[in-house]
Amino acid sequence: MICCVFDFAKSGFYLLLKNVDEAVQNLRDRGIEVFGVVCHVSNAQQRKNLVDKTILKYRKIDVIVSNAAVNPTVDAILEIKEPVLDKLWDINVKAAILLLQDAAPYLQKGSSVVIISSIAGYQPPTAMGMYGVTKTALLGLTKALAAEMAPNTRVNCVAPGFVPTHFAEFITGDANLRRELEAKTLLNRLGTTQDMAAATAYLASDDAAYVTGETLVVAGGMNSRL
């Protein structure tokens, strides 16, 4: 098992290393074999280092979960500055492709890729418009890669609903807005990291051996699709 923390800010390397070490130790305390690497996914050398160290230790790759994302703006799409657009595309979309390019030669027959999109990919919210667009792109990327990497590697996607994490704090931290979001779900609650982990684990596992090119929406019934 590999535990990676991605440095979106390109700073605080030693703080992130500390976070990785703590995460690794927490999992080892539960009896799980873990290997941790700090990696900024937009940095070609760090991506290569991640793959190289993984292969050096395990000789192969069975599962890749692409979860890196940023949302640095609440500006309308037509008002976003070009450097911010570049950052959104570089981290949310381009880095997923480049990481898979680096790792693909080491993927085993029967391997699995899980890309993390968002419910925002289906209906981008006003304050997260461009973020939503990048997540829409991941839905198409999943379909395209599933065809390209078949039959040896399955490629699927998870589209989480709203989960009260640090990343979503500017939305879920507002009590009134949180109640509005909860009311839009059929289960009257927001998601949890455990909900998302369970969906990802399913798609990565042999239980989903006949599932590829699909997106699993995990949003408590919010914005469900036919």
Side-chain angles (χ1 to χ4, degrees), residues 1 12 84 106 108 121 144 147 157 167 179 187 205 209 222 226:
M1 177 178 179
V84 179
Y106 307 102
Q108 304 299 295
C157 182
F167 183 81
R179 282 192 292 270
L187 301 180
S205 75
M222 180 187 289
L226 283 175

Side-chain angles (χ1 to χ4, degrees), residues 56-71:
L56 183 64
K57 185 171 181 64
Y58 295 107
R59 304 296 180 186
K60 62 177 183 175
I61 298 175
D62 296 305
V63 176
I64 295 176
V65 178
S66 178
N67 188 43
V70 294
N71 183 32

Side-chain angles (χ1 to χ4, degrees), residues 85-106:
L85 282 172
D86 290 342
K87 183 173 184 177
L88 279 159
W89 281 109
D90 284 350
I91 300 297
N92 294 7
V93 181
K94 184 179 174 182
I97 298 170
L98 294 176
L99 180 60
L100 285 172
Q101 287 180 351
D102 292 339
Y106 307 102

Side-chain angles (χ1 to χ4, degrees), residues 61-66 100 104 107-115 141-158 199-216:
I61 298 175
D62 296 305
V63 176
I64 295 176
V65 178
S66 178
L100 285 172
L107 286 168
Q108 304 299 295
K109 184 175 182 178
S111 57
S112 176
V113 173
V114 182
I115 295 172
L141 180 63
T142 298
K143 290 286 189 182
L145 286 177
E148 185 172 320
M149 301 180 77
N152 292 332
T153 299
R154 296 180 300 105
V155 183
N156 291 291
C157 182
V158 172
T200 302
Y202 161 68
L203 290 174
S205 75
D206 290 340
D207 288 340
Y210 199 53
V211 180
T212 194
E214 299 293 342
T215 295
L216 178 57

